[in-house]
């Protein structure tokens, strides 16, 4: 009897524990709130949503981002159309869910990812959509095939919208798949496949060619070859989708920044000035020769909404017209050193830039008050070389971009490093805004960059590429400082010999002069 009673109590306890264990799970199932059919995900319910939905398209957004609001609106529209399908749309506020964003390695202000069959670690990157139609088109093209693009072009030829047409001799050729893969990545562009011989004859071209048509007008043609990749085709389409010269506006900013052409020529000019038409014509005339190498953009300095862009490039309205060239990878800026803005001058400048002969424009912020009073010293262009190349100090510098989340994420680490090094008078920990101060040295890659300037007379810089941990940074600094001590002994010896030789030469010349007298 006692045994039966004991078993009964044990069973009861197990039931209670099981119920208690399931209680949070049941509560969590109801903790995935929706707004306009879009799931609002957090770290606590993200994994559950992955398991529940076969396809989960997630927008990781920053609430204060204008682009984030636009994409959220597109998500709401697409979610309404996708009701009842196996695709579910969701959003994650990265400002609140920092741990989740870090866990999923989400960077940037508009990351959109499609998670399939609960696979958390291998999502498909979704192109930034312009509208809800973009999302629906992307999903449809992902699930379809090139056969879906076969179309009668008799009506689309007269369309105001750009249409990219693939004319192929054989629809099972690998060229067709490359074409379709490009179509998947460009959901905002109309794509079609045809074998209509009359169309190709009309434009005097042959098979296996990609045409860009607008209102029956041939904008550009691209001949497919065995070497043609999806990426090459995307670059061709996105470049010729735009005009040779694009005005920078709120509507075109995303398109400009998303362009695969990373070299940008920017003309800062007053649209209302008497010389505008002539300067714009010259800029447009130079653009055609560099279509796949340099993106040409003009900026109206009289437009108040362009203030932030002008501030970034340190351009004041009274300095216009002027032309700057910048690469979006290293952010080094080049200035056209001429007041004459004709086609030949612009062409020469662009050629010298592409050939690596152009000299970067040096910029510097004003030296901030108390820049050396804090644990992390605030450097600018005017103080970088003086502080960094101090032969008696080892200087560790963080080169950062203030608008980069990856850069800002290193700020706490740099404070920790400064704290760890505070008792060492021969070490300086500093940082510099690389977007506001041109850096006349190679960072061996994009920003943020961590660079050590050893205590040497020689102007030497060592780029750190290890783990972003304080102990690893300190270990790296100590190792380089030990190396520098050995080099310094040789430097000091060379300097001593040089000084002695200079003194001997000076004495010799003095004696010679005395004898002549």
């Amino acid at each position: 009897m006692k045994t039966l009673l004991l078993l009964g109590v044990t069973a009861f306890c197990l039931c209670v524990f099981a119920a208690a264990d399931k209680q949070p799970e049941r509560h969590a199932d109801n903790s995935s709130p929706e707004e306009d059919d879009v799931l609002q995900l957090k770290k606590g319910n993200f994994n559950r949503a992955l398991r529940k939905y076969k396809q989960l398209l997630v927008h990781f957004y920053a609430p204060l981002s204008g682009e984030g609001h636009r994409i959220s609106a597109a998500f709401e529209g697409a979610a309404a159309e996708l009701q009842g399908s196996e695709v579910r749309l969701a959003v994650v506020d990265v400002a609140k869910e920092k741990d989740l964003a870090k866990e999923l390695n989400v960077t940037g202000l508009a990351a959109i990812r499609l998670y399939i069959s609960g696979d958390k670690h291998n999502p498909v990157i979704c192109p930034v959509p312009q509208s809800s139609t973009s999302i629906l088109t992307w999903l449809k093209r992902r699930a379809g095939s090139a056969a879906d693009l076969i179309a009668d072009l008799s009506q689309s030829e007269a369309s105001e919208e750009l249409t990219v047409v693939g004319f192929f001799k054989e629809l099972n050729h690998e060229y067709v798949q490359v074409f379709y893969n490009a179509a998947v990545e460009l959901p905002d562009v109309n794509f079609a496949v045809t074998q209509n011989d009359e169309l190709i004859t009309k434009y005097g071209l042959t098979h296996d060619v990609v045409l860009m048509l607008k209102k029956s007008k041939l904008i550009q043609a691209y001949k497919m070859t065995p070497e043609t990749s999806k990426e090459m085709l995307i670059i061709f389409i996105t470049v010729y989708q735009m005009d040779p010269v694009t005005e920078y506006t709120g509507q075109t900013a995303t398109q400009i920044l998303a362009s695969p052409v990373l070299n940008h020529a920017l003309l800062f000019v007053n649209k209302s000035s008497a010389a505008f038409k002539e300067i714009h014509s010259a800029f447009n005339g130079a653009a055609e020769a560099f279509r796949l190498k340099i993106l040409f953009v003009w900026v109206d300095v009289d437009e108040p909404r362009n203030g932030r862009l002008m501030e970034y490039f340190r351009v004041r309205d009274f300095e216009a017209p002027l032309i700057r060239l910048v690469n979006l990878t290293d952010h080094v800026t080049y200035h056209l050193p001429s007041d004459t803005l004709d086609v030949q001058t612009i062409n020469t400048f662009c050629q010298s830039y592409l050939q690596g002969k152009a000299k970067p424009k040096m910029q510097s912020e004003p030296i901030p008050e108390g820049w050396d009073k804090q644990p992390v010293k605030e450097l600018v262009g005017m103080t970088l070389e003086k502080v960094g190349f101090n032969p008696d100090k080892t200087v560790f510098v963080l080169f950062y971009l203030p608008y980069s989340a990856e850069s800002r994420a290193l700020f706490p680490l740099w404070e920790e490093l400064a704290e760890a090094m505070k008792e060492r008078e021969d070490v300086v920990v500093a940082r510099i805004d690389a977007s506001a101060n041109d850096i006349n040295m190679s960072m061996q890659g994009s920003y943020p960059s961590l660079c050590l300037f050893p205590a040497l007379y020689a102007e030497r810089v060592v780029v750190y590429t290890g783990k972003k941990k304080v102990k690893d940074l300190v270990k790296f600094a100590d190792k380089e400082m030990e190396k520098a001590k050995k080099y310094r002994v040789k430097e000091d010896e060379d300097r001593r010999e040089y000084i002695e030789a200079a003194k001997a030469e000076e004495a010799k010349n003095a004696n010679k002069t005395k004898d002549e007298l």
Side-chain angles (χ1 to χ4, degrees):
M1 184 69 182
K2 288 183 178 179
T3 302
L4 290 174
L5 181 60
L6 182 60
L7 288 173
V9 172
T10 302
F12 174 76
C13 291
L14 287 173
C15 290
V16 171
F17 288 139
D21 186 54
K22 290 181 179 179
Q23 197 66 28
E25 190 79 19
R26 186 183 301 121
H27 176 71
D29 281 339
N30 296 323
S31 64
S32 297
E34 297 181 22
E35 290 184 15
D36 299 307
D37 301 312
V38 178
L39 296 175
Q40 309 294 308
L41 298 184
K42 301 179 179 180
K43 185 170 184 176
N45 60 13
F46 189 85
N47 288 340
R48 189 169 295 105
L50 277 182
R51 293 192 299 268
K52 185 173 181 180
Y53 301 106
K54 188 173 181 180
Q55 294 190 50
L56 186 67
L57 186 63
V58 184
H59 173 212
F60 297 89
Y61 74 98
L64 298 180
S65 163
E67 186 174 43
H69 284 300
R70 179 180 59 76
I71 296 172
S72 294
F75 257 55
E76 292 172 10
E81 295 291 331
L82 291 168
Q83 285 187 11
S85 73
E86 64 178 18
V87 182
R88 195 66 198 266
L89 272 59
V91 294
V92 172
D93 183 343
V94 295
K96 294 180 179 178
E97 300 300 319
K98 295 178 181 178
D99 290 342
L100 179 60
K102 184 177 180 181
E103 178 187 347
L104 298 173
N105 194 30
V106 173
T107 58
L109 297 179
I112 307 171
R113 298 179 179 181
L114 177 65
Y115 295 88
I116 302 173
S117 301
D119 188 345
K120 186 177 182 179
H121 304 291
N122 298 289
V124 179
I125 304 301
C126 174
V128 176
Q130 296 298 314
S131 64
S132 60
T133 303
S134 306
I135 298 172
L136 298 172
T137 300
W138 182 73
L139 291 168
K140 182 179 178 181
R141 287 180 182 173
R142 276 200 78 255
S145 68
D148 300 329
L149 299 179
I150 297 174
D152 177 6
L153 298 172
S154 57
Q155 294 182 347
S156 62
E157 275 193 277
S159 173
E160 290 282 348
E161 294 185 25
L162 179 75
T163 301
V164 179
V165 182
F167 181 79
F168 302 105
K169 186 175 183 180
E170 300 174 8
L171 293 181
N172 60 350
H173 197 284
E174 61 182 17
Y175 290 161
V176 182
Q177 190 57 50
V178 172
F179 180 80
Y180 190 72
N181 290 342
V184 173
E185 295 299 314
L186 298 172
D188 293 299
V189 180
N190 292 327
F191 279 77
V193 171
T194 185
Q195 289 185 301
N196 187 333
D197 289 327
E198 292 182 7
L199 175 69
I200 205 69
T201 303
K202 175 181 178 181
Y203 296 107
L205 299 169
T206 59
H207 298 90
D208 301 328
V209 66
V210 175
L211 312 178
M212 298 183 69
L213 304 176
K214 190 172 185 179
K215 295 181 67 175
S216 297
K217 180 182 178 182
L218 178 62
I219 306 299
Q220 196 62 242
Y222 184 97
K223 178 64 177 176
M224 300 288 282
T225 69
E227 291 74 34
T228 300
S229 65
K230 174 189 72 174
E231 290 74 20
M232 294 166 65
L233 199 53
I234 287 174
I235 290 174
F236 166 76
I237 294 168
T238 53
V239 167
Y240 284 97
Q241 180 185 6
M242 302 171 69
D243 293 329
V245 175
T246 303
E247 181 183 3
Y248 180 89
T249 66
Q251 288 71 40
T252 64
T254 300
Q255 189 180 27
I256 290 169
L257 293 174
S259 170
V261 178
L262 299 179
N263 297 313
H264 290 192
L266 295 104
L267 166 65
F268 292 90
V269 63
N270 190 328
K271 186 178 181 180
S272 60
S273 67
F276 171 73
K277 287 187 177 180
E278 182 180 354
I279 294 171
H280 184 274
S281 177
F283 196 61
N284 192 77
E288 193 61 47
F290 301 95
R291 284 298 287 267
L292 294 172
K293 298 175 182 177
I294 300 175
L295 186 69
F296 279 62
V297 179
W298 73 273
V299 183
D300 184 4
V301 299
D302 200 34
E303 169 56 63
R305 286 171 292 188
N306 292 336
R308 291 187 65 182
L309 184 70
M310 292 170 62
E311 182 181 349
Y312 174 83
F313 284 99
R314 296 292 189 271
V315 173
R316 292 164 291 186
D317 56 357
F318 60 83
E319 295 177 301
L322 58 84
I323 293 176
R324 296 275 170 82
L325 258 166
V326 63
N327 180 278
L328 297 191
T329 300
D330 57 25
H331 299 273
V332 176
T333 303
Y334 297 78
H335 177 72
L336 173 57
S338 173
D339 292 331
T340 304
L341 301 182
D342 56 23
V343 174
Q344 183 58 46
T345 303
I346 297 170
N347 270 330
T348 301
F349 175 52
C350 291
Q351 287 288 4
S352 67
Y353 168 78
L354 292 175
Q355 293 167 2
K357 297 178 181 179
K359 293 183 179 180
K361 174 180 172 55
M362 297 305 297
Q363 297 177 337
S364 176
E365 293 179 295
I367 300 175
E369 186 176 348
W371 66 273
D372 60 345
K373 304 303 181 186
Q374 299 299 320
V376 176
K377 315 307 177 190
E378 292 287 349
L379 302 182
V380 295
M382 290 185 285
T383 57
L384 175 61
E385 292 193 15
K386 181 179 179 181
V387 174
F389 294 129
N390 184 333
D392 301 315
K393 299 278 189 181
T394 293
V395 186
F396 218 152
V397 182
L398 164 62
F399 294 82
Y400 70 93
L401 301 173
Y403 49 81
S404 161
E406 187 180 358
S407 288
R408 294 194 302 272
L410 293 177
F411 287 3
L413 173 66
W414 224 238
E415 295 288 347
E416 291 180 43
L417 179 62
E419 181 66 21
M421 295 285 200
K422 69 178 181 180
E423 300 301 328
R424 302 169 67 167
E425 295 182 355
D426 59 341
V427 178
V428 175
V429 178
R431 68 183 188 182
I432 183 169
D433 180 351
S435 68
N437 302 276
D438 278 344
I439 313 301
N440 191 22
M441 61 185 70
S442 174
M443 296 296 102
Q444 297 181 8
S446 58
Y447 299 109
S449 186
L450 315 181
C451 299
L452 188 80
F453 297 70
L456 293 167
Y457 290 109
E459 295 183 350
R460 185 164 178 260
V461 182
V462 186
V463 180
Y464 177 76
T465 58
K467 295 180 180 179
K468 304 299 190 295
K469 302 288 184 182
V470 171
K471 64 177 182 179
D472 296 298
L473 291 166
V474 172
K475 185 177 179 180
F476 170 78
D478 288 340
K479 181 180 178 181
E480 291 299 325
M481 289 171 73
E482 284 302 314
K483 287 183 186 178
K485 286 179 183 178
K486 296 177 182 178
Y487 293 136
R488 184 61 181 269
V489 171
K490 182 68 169 60
E491 280 188 338
D492 288 339
E493 180 64 21
D494 291 344
R495 286 172 64 86
R496 184 185 62 78
E497 291 178 0
Y498 174 82
I499 292 171
E500 288 179 357
K503 286 182 178 179
E505 183 67 21
E506 184 178 350
K508 180 181 177 180
N509 292 334
N511 289 332
K512 184 178 179 181
T513 302
K514 189 184 294 183
D515 291 339
E516 289 175 350
L517 292 173

